[in-house]
Amino acid sequence: MNKAQVNKPAIAVWEVTLKCNLRCAHCGSSAGATRADELSTAEALHLSRDLAALGCTGVALMGGEVFLRPDWLTISKEIKKQGMALSVITNGFIDADSIIPQLSAIGADCVMVGLDGGSAASHDAIRGVQGSFEKACTFLKAAKKAHLRTGAITTVQKSNFHELPTILKIVLEEEIDWQLQDGTPIGRFPRSHVLPEEQYYTLGVFIRATQKKYATKTRAIIGTHNLGFHSSHLPNLSAYPPWQGCNAGKTVLGIQSNGNIKGCLALSDAFIEGNIRARSINDIWNDPTTFSYSRRFHQKELGENCRHCKYGASCKGGCTTRSASMTGRVHNDPFCFYRFEQEDLSCG
């Protein structure tokens, strides 16, 4: 692939700090303490301008907990100044009365709050701190009241799978968006908590049924882009085009708080392509040798789960993060709706 063929990143997912006030069981970053070498305010502002120059159209800020970084507002203002859409992902365990007016003032385009249970008992157990459910609900209500585009993100795992109908009630009552994603075994999240295959497929069925009944023009109910693949019975459940291979390093960019660059923030550090202190984001993104797993895929690289699949050439072995974390290699995603249907696992 030469430079002329490199797409512009549609969105950069930026971990602005690793500092966090919760200890979530599914945290892929093992967040808690601040990284010793996090970007300075000046570096973060320079990176914001470089992202805009690169053609990035949107930035999603997250942590850790984004609002624990003192200069989060300064960075956010620069992102908006550069003409990029601003999304903020938070655990909500923060003072909504202080934060929400600031988000409104700068015109945040989307605010997403982690909601992993339908009650304090279940949510707080997953999030690791008592009172986190109440704070998350308060933040959601305040954001919605301020007329910000507001949604909940649920990381579905064994411990909260049965909670989905209860969480749905909150989504409907608050009239907010809902994004559902499956937990993958990275960071603190153990493989023993990952959904079994039958529940994973049932999650797809649940999302589709919920979309048909409750999704509206003003309320999106979606699965993440890497959920499923090529079902004969379930349509594309995400807000993105149907799956045509991993978008890490193609339309998606991940940034760690110390300036490390990955194709997707969820990928392990083995997938770091460089650091903006050593090379500009433009140089890293446009380097013909970076992000090889997605940019220079060849069908012969498919693993045992995918090499005989009729969708192998286009699917490219599914989600890179899930493939690598669960099988130890890329292009080998074990969680595939098409394969489950072929093996008649859909009855789960």
Side-chain angles (χ1 to χ4, degrees):
M1 176 178 290
N2 59 45
K3 289 187 177 183
Q5 294 174 296
V6 177
N7 296 322
K8 298 177 181 179
I11 186 167
V13 182
W14 185 354
E15 167 208 277
V16 290
T17 182
L18 200 60
K19 186 176 183 179
C20 194
N21 46 13
L22 299 184
R23 190 171 177 80
C24 303
H26 55 266
C27 181
S29 302
S30 299
T34 307
R35 292 184 196 271
D37 58 346
E38 293 187 346
L39 297 177
S40 67
T41 301
E43 288 173 321
L45 295 178
H46 190 277
L47 175 57
S48 299
R49 293 188 285 271
D50 281 353
L51 286 171
L54 188 61
C56 186
T57 57
V59 179
L61 298 184
M62 62 178 297
E65 172 48 50
V66 58
F67 299 124
L68 295 182
R69 177 162 173 139
D71 59 356
W72 73 267
L73 184 58
T74 302
I75 298 170
S76 299
K77 286 180 177 179
E78 186 64 31
I79 290 168
K80 292 294 293 184
K81 180 182 177 181
Q82 294 300 322
M84 296 179 287
L86 172 67
S87 302
V88 179
I89 303 169
T90 175
N91 59 37
F93 199 75
I94 205 79
D95 181 14
D97 291 339
S98 170
I99 299 297
I100 295 298
Q102 297 179 80
L103 289 172
S104 295
I106 62 174
D109 296 277
C110 178
V111 179
M112 300 296 288
V113 182
L115 188 65
D116 295 309
S119 67
S122 56
H123 178 92
D124 291 1
I126 291 173
R127 290 280 167 167
V129 175
Q130 287 189 336
S132 56
F133 176 75
E134 181 179 353
K135 295 282 278 187
C137 290
T138 297
F139 202 96
L140 282 166
K141 291 175 186 288
K144 181 68 177 181
K145 186 176 180 180
H147 305 293
L148 292 165
R149 185 69 190 251
T150 308
I153 298 179
T154 300
T155 301
V156 187
Q157 49 204 279
K158 281 184 180 179
S159 62
N160 69 357
F161 181 79
H162 65 287
E163 291 271 318
L164 295 181
T166 310
I167 301 172
L168 173 61
K169 290 181 181 179
I170 297 173
V171 169
L172 298 178
E173 288 172 1
E174 302 302 329
E175 298 183 318
I176 57 177
D177 298 335
W178 192 18
Q179 177 179 301
L180 298 95
Q181 59 194 30
D182 64 303
T184 51
I186 54 178
R188 276 198 292 269
F189 193 56
R191 184 164 182 156
S192 59
H193 290 192
V194 173
L195 292 176
E197 293 180 349
E198 293 85 353
Q199 284 188 339
Y200 182 85
Y201 190 91
T202 303
L203 173 61
V205 174
F206 172 84
I207 294 173
R208 180 53 182 161
T210 304
Q211 287 175 333
K212 290 177 68 176
K213 190 170 184 180
Y214 298 113
T216 66
K217 290 183 179 179
T218 57
R219 179 174 55 231
I221 298 174
I222 59 172
T224 45
H225 187 42
N226 67 339
L227 190 69
F229 319 126
H230 308 297
S231 170
S232 299
H233 309 296
L234 298 172
N236 176 31
L237 301 173
S238 78
Y240 296 89
W243 183 266
Q244 291 292 316
C246 179
N247 280 318
K250 295 175 72 177
T251 61
V252 178
L253 174 66
I255 308 168
Q256 290 184 312
S257 59
N258 61 357
N260 285 336
I261 301 300
K262 304 176 183 178
C264 171
L265 193 57
L267 288 166
S268 75
D269 286 356
F271 290 85
I272 293 172
E273 303 286 353
N275 186 285
I276 63 162
R277 287 175 172 143
R279 303 174 66 197
S280 72
I281 187 64
N282 181 75
D283 286 349
I284 296 172
W285 182 262
N286 288 301
D287 187 333
T289 68
T290 56
F291 313 104
S292 61
Y293 53 89
S294 59
R295 292 183 178 180
R296 290 179 298 283
F297 165 80
H298 192 283
Q299 196 167 352
K300 67 182 180 182
E301 297 170 340
L302 292 171
E304 64 274 10
N305 290 322
C306 307
R307 64 172 55 107
H308 300 299
C309 178
K310 69 177 184 178
Y311 295 108
S314 61
C315 181
K316 302 177 177 62
C319 170
T320 303
T321 296
R322 191 164 49 228
S323 178
S325 64
M326 295 194 68
T327 73
R329 58 160 300 165
V330 297
H331 311 305
N332 195 41
D333 192 340
F335 277 15
C336 168
F337 286 170
Y338 175 72
R339 184 172 67 82
F340 293 168
E341 290 167 355
Q342 295 300 108
E343 297 176 1
D344 198 28
L345 291 173
S346 59
C347 59

